[in-house]
Amino acid sequence: MKLNLQDIPRVKTISKADFIKNYFKPQKPVVIENCIEDWPAYKKWSLDYMKTVAGDKTVPLYDDRPVDYKEGFNEAHATMKMSEYVDLLKREPTKFRIFLWNILKEVPQLQKDFKYPDFGLRLMKGLPMLFFGGKESHTFMHYDIDLANIFHFHFEGKKQCILFDQKQNKYLYKIPHSLITREDIDFHNPDFEKWPALKHAKGWICNLNHGEVLYMPEGYWHYMRYITPGFSMSLRAIARNPKNLGKAIYNVFLMRNYDNIMRRIRGQKWIDWKNQKAIINTHKTLQQEV
């Protein structure tokens, strides 16, 4: 048995009006295949190019180890020179990933290689972020703290993306006071005996190729798996739905701080309680629906 996923619609190109009408307003994902051929990045950006322009930069690396109460929010698990990291990616599979790497801050010259496309939404121009991963590395299923509209541009190789909207929360074993699901769920090959509620979740799936862009609507859960080594850039636009905007403000100013305080006070007991609560809450909902 597999997750209940439908293919994300794909279009070659799209007008601003069609994007707003067919995808932004109904909050549905879409892959745009031919959007950035006029960017220098389309021809230039590869792992080798990143090694050339940023090889001497020390980069933060993350793997798929479970959250530890001693670690701060988004604290790196290791560091490495970008040149060494690219060599590692090309040499062998690795769990190490880079995420939320601000290219304006780290390598300003990369700004010349891309433009901010006009999809009818105001993109946050100070936050173009890069994400790198090795073959078979993956992110945990999560959604972004600000519930932004995200445009995810992929470079080199192939990447699989699984998405769920916020209506599926009750089936996903969401961890309380956080933005992730249970970290021991393998969304690529889930164990439905252990996680029966997942059978009821309805989501979306696509494989992204070089030069394609995935639009992820506000607050969408996403799980990313690198089929081959590669990297992506995300551009974001602030949540427009008042409810989502309210959630974003709550997450940034209240939820994150409360979670950090509880980690300091209760330590690993807090993490363990949240993980157990995710199962209790999800299965309680499932029993009420059956």
Side-chain angles (χ1 to χ4, degrees), residues 43-191:
K43 290 181 178 171
K44 288 165 66 175
W45 282 18
S46 65
L47 289 170
D48 286 334
Y49 181 68
M50 289 296 164
K51 182 178 174 180
T52 300
V53 299
D56 61 338
K57 296 284 182 185
T58 299
V59 294
L61 301 174
Y62 301 82
D63 57 26
D64 57 2
R65 72 187 69 177
V67 167
D68 188 287
Y69 77 94
K70 295 187 291 288
E71 293 171 358
F73 190 78
N74 286 348
E75 191 174 313
H77 297 137
T79 58
M80 198 179 283
K81 293 285 188 192
M82 176 63 95
S83 57
E84 296 170 14
Y85 179 61
V86 170
D87 288 344
L88 174 64
L89 291 185
K90 300 188 86 165
R91 186 174 67 244
E92 63 194 53
T94 175
K95 298 289 188 185
F96 279 134
R97 294 175 290 106
I98 300 174
F99 86 118
L100 292 177
W101 200 60
N102 190 324
I103 63 175
L104 290 186
K105 185 175 149 195
E106 301 292 343
V107 192
Q109 74 188 77
L110 291 174
Q111 168 72 54
K112 299 172 187 169
D113 291 343
F114 69 91
K115 298 184 290 196
Y116 292 90
D118 184 5
F119 292 114
L121 302 178
R122 185 178 295 173
L123 297 171
M124 293 185 245
K125 295 190 175 177
L127 291 172
M129 296 292 185
L130 286 184
F131 303 79
F132 292 72
K135 181 181 178 182
E136 294 301 328
S137 65
H138 68 273
T139 64
F140 295 122
M141 181 66 77
H142 68 286
Y143 64 95
D144 286 16
I145 195 166
D146 58 355
L147 283 84
N149 295 276
I150 301 169
F151 298 90
H152 197 65
F153 303 81
H154 188 62
F155 298 93
E156 187 148 330
K158 195 182 287 278
K159 183 181 198 178
Q160 185 183 71
C161 311
I162 296 175
L163 310 182
F164 293 100
D165 62 35
Q166 287 280 314
K167 293 174 187 169
Q168 309 306 309
N169 285 14
K170 58 188 177 179
Y171 303 125
L172 296 178
Y173 298 90
K174 180 186 183 300
I175 303 289
H177 311 293
S178 79
L179 311 166
I180 60 173
T181 64
R182 287 274 310 208
E183 295 157 305
D184 44 353
I185 297 174
D186 178 2
F187 278 90
H188 177 55
N189 186 26
D191 180 345

Side-chain angles (χ1 to χ4, degrees), residues 7-71:
D7 289 335
I8 295 173
R10 303 179 77 91
V11 296
K12 294 293 183 189
T13 59
I14 195 165
S15 68
K16 178 164 61 173
D18 282 346
F19 170 75
I20 294 292
K21 176 185 172 186
N22 297 323
Y23 300 102
F24 172 68
K25 283 189 175 173
Q27 287 288 281
K28 288 185 176 176
V30 64
V31 174
I32 308 166
E33 296 177 345
N34 303 325
C35 179
I36 65 168
E37 276 90 343
D38 60 335
W39 289 10
Y42 181 72
K43 290 181 178 171
K44 288 165 66 175
W45 282 18
S46 65
L47 289 170
D48 286 334
Y49 181 68
M50 289 296 164
K51 182 178 174 180
T52 300
V53 299
D56 61 338
K57 296 284 182 185
T58 299
V59 294
L61 301 174
Y62 301 82
D63 57 26
D64 57 2
R65 72 187 69 177
V67 167
D68 188 287
Y69 77 94
K70 295 187 291 288
E71 293 171 358

